[in-house]
Amino acid sequence: MIDLGAARVAVNSPLNDFNAHLDLVYQHHGDGDPLSFADVRVSLLPSRGMRFWKGRVSLWSEATCPFEPYPMRSALPLFEWGSNWLLAQRLNAYLLLHAGVVARDDRALILPAAPGSGKSTLTCALHLAGWRFMSDEFGVLDPDSGNLLPLLKPAALKNRSIAIIGAHPQARLGPVFPGTRKGDVAHFVPLRDSIVERHRHARPRLVIFPRYRDGGTLKCTPLDAANTAMRLGLNSFNYRTLGAVGFDAVVRLARTTRAFELEYGDLSTAIAHIDTLFAEHA
């Protein structure tokens, strides 16, 4: 049983290498009773049946296999992407933003972005610069309280980001999985203090839509509440599913935070600017 904060995932597998990788990237999450409640239950099992599936692994959840088998060496990426997909289907008590979330004390910064925008790299870099890590993939917003809940899963770094984040002396990464469907992938492990505080909520104060451009100069543009609400809805897994609840949640979030679009080409410059914005508006 893996306690992520906002959710619990039960996983079992006979695959020794996968279990070793899981132990590496989910240190300090605790091992609860495997028979207790879990939001998602998965099994990673060797694929059987067709001959061309030999040497592959399948993810099963509640007697269904929602994805094609992966190569056996990519069992951890399959678990990460598969469990993310399952959590996005099932955590409909919350508004789920596709966003990184970091915090200072109990005030949160939300980083919503489309894939390829540099969200994960920036989220990890901010964490290594002293921010509390709350999530990389899911911004979990409670529509009733307006608070953000941590969902402490490792961040999937891809291609160039692996070396950039891995060069930091405090960074802990799992093994590199070359040639996946998303390129080379390695999983960044949040620092222990953030994992220990995975049940500590935070109040959203600042929203930044990041966009990395190689060699680009820093450009920061303020956004009004209407534009912010529209973009938050577009960067949500379950906005349409929640209907009026989702609409009210994004409008409330847009009205109670300050929002900016940030284009950058250098991580250290972006972090310094974010620190300044947060000091001014949070």
Side-chain angles (χ1 to χ4, degrees):
M1 183 73 69
I2 303 174
D3 181 357
L4 304 173
R8 292 158 63 89
V9 176
V11 55
N12 68 82
S13 176
L15 304 175
N16 291 333
D17 286 349
F18 167 69
N19 287 321
H21 294 161
L22 201 67
D23 290 342
L24 178 63
V25 300
Y26 282 98
Q27 297 177 33
H28 312 301
H29 281 75
D31 296 317
D33 181 355
L35 299 179
S36 62
F37 173 79
D39 297 274
V40 167
R41 291 185 177 275
V42 299
S43 297
L44 275 291
L45 303 173
S47 299
R48 304 186 184 280
M50 298 184 183
R51 184 169 54 188
F52 57 80
W53 283 358
K54 185 178 180 181
R56 291 180 172 263
V57 58
S58 296
L59 182 147
W60 289 84
S61 179
E62 298 181 5
T64 64
C65 185
F67 312 105
E68 291 184 4
Y70 274 40
M72 192 72 72
R73 67 179 184 274
S74 296
L76 181 63
L78 173 60
F79 168 73
E80 285 298 308
W81 294 327
S83 60
N84 282 347
W85 184 84
L86 290 166
L87 287 166
Q89 309 302 308
R90 298 180 185 180
L91 293 185
N92 288 321
Y94 308 112
L95 176 70
L96 301 177
L97 301 171
H98 183 237
V101 182
V102 292
R104 288 201 183 279
D105 298 321
D106 294 319
R107 298 170 300 157
L109 162 65
I110 306 173
L111 300 161
S117 300
K119 166 185 64 66
S120 296
T121 309
L122 183 56
T123 300
C124 295
L126 285 164
H127 176 44
L128 292 169
W131 294 69
R132 176 162 65 99
F133 189 100
M134 293 184 67
S135 180
D136 165 61
E137 186 70 11
F138 294 101
V140 183
L141 183 73
D142 181 352
D144 295 325
S145 69
N147 288 336
L148 288 158
L149 287 67
L151 193 70
L152 261 290
K153 295 180 101 271
L157 299 175
K158 298 177 258 321
N159 304 316
R160 291 175 57 192
S161 296
I162 298 171
I164 292 169
I165 297 300
H168 193 284
Q170 285 188 288
R172 292 183 299 139
L173 271 63
V176 176
F177 297 93
T180 74
R181 298 177 184 182
K182 297 187 178 183
D184 295 347
V185 173
H187 297 88
F188 170 84
V189 182
L191 301 180
R192 186 177 186 277
D193 287 351
S194 291
I195 298 172
V196 169
E197 295 190 316
R198 62 190 178 275
H199 294 286
R200 182 180 177 184
H201 299 185
R203 198 75 181 168
R205 304 304 303 156
L206 191 66
V207 179
I208 293 179
F209 297 87
R211 182 170 57 181
Y212 173 78
R213 288 196 182 278
D214 192 17
T217 57
L218 188 77
K219 182 180 178 182
C220 185
T221 306
L223 301 173
D224 60 28
N227 196 6
T228 301
M230 178 188 69
R231 294 180 66 167
L232 287 168
L234 291 173
N235 284 283
S236 169
F237 293 98
N238 62 347
Y239 173 73
R240 291 187 177 181
T241 300
L242 294 183
V245 172
F247 176 81
D248 290 343
V250 297
V251 169
R252 177 183 179 184
L253 182 57
R255 287 176 172 171
T256 56
T257 59
R258 292 296 303 274
F260 299 85
E261 181 179 69
L262 183 70
E263 186 175 306
Y264 70 97
D266 176 74
L267 265 179
S268 59
T269 303
I271 291 170
H273 191 74
I274 290 171
D275 285 336
T276 300
L277 287 175
F278 200 77
E280 291 175 350
H281 299 293

